[in-house]
Amino acid sequence: METLSGHLLVATPAIDDGPFWRSVVFVLDHDDDGALGVIVNRPLDSDVDDVLPQWADLLDAPVCFFDGGPVAEDVVLAVALVEDTSVAAQLPTWRSVAGRVGLIDLTGPPPEPGQVSGLRVFAGYAGWGPGQLETEIDHEAWVVVAARDADLVSPQPANLWHDVLRRQEGDLRFWATLPDDPTAN
């Protein structure tokens, strides 16, 4: 399987509860050793300004932490979009993921204004061991779709599951109309 880094994993109705129910995961890293990503549609009630005030001005609304996933919830990851990839070379704390998307080390200095065009901070992450994600995809728990930069900084992240499905072609787009509880239909 090709690397899924830079793609979205969209939870299918096969995941009917738990932390991945109706989640949209941006894959940060995927290789033979496993996969790592962050859930991009789960804002938390914790304001970044309260914990990392020097970073708050760089964040896109909502200016809060996001629940990145059930693994290491005490670990904080910052995912950013650079204005262009040549700017990334000027950021000593930058690690490229795909295109304009990368990780920024929050222990270093914040980027200068204009160096990043979007930033989100995640508490925890989603992780899979070798072959685990591929098995889940084979069992139709996830659909792999192309990510758009705007997905990472959506001003309405709670709608992202519906929005990403709605823009797909074919039958996949109809999942966006699935009610929260299909048995209550």
Side-chain angles (χ1 to χ4, degrees), residues 32-45:
D32 291 337
D33 294 327
L36 180 136
V38 288
I39 301 172
V40 294
N41 63 326
R42 295 276 161 70
L44 296 170
D45 289 331

Side-chain angles (χ1 to χ4, degrees), residues 24-117:
V24 178
V25 176
F26 183 83
V27 181
L28 297 167
D29 192 26
H30 176 243
D31 57 25
D32 291 337
D33 294 327
L36 180 136
V38 288
I39 301 172
V40 294
N41 63 326
R42 295 276 161 70
L44 296 170
D45 289 331
S46 304
D47 289 336
V48 171
D49 197 23
D50 294 339
V51 180
L52 300 165
Q54 69 276 27
W55 291 88
D57 290 342
L58 296 170
L59 295 170
D60 291 89
V63 182
C64 63
F65 284 96
F66 278 69
D67 178 358
V71 180
E73 293 170 319
D74 59 338
V75 170
V76 177
L77 298 173
V79 179
L81 298 170
V82 290
E83 283 296 324
D84 70 52
T85 53
S86 65
V87 170
Q90 302 168 18
L91 299 170
T93 60
W94 172 264
R95 188 183 127 225
S96 180
V97 171
R100 296 178 41 222
V101 179
L103 292 166
I104 290 186
D105 182 353
L106 293 170
T107 62
E112 296 296 321
Q115 289 183 312
V116 297
S117 60

Side-chain angles (χ1 to χ4, degrees), residues 168-174:
Q168 303 308 308
E169 295 186 15
D171 291 342
L172 188 56
R173 69 183 301 151
F174 293 111

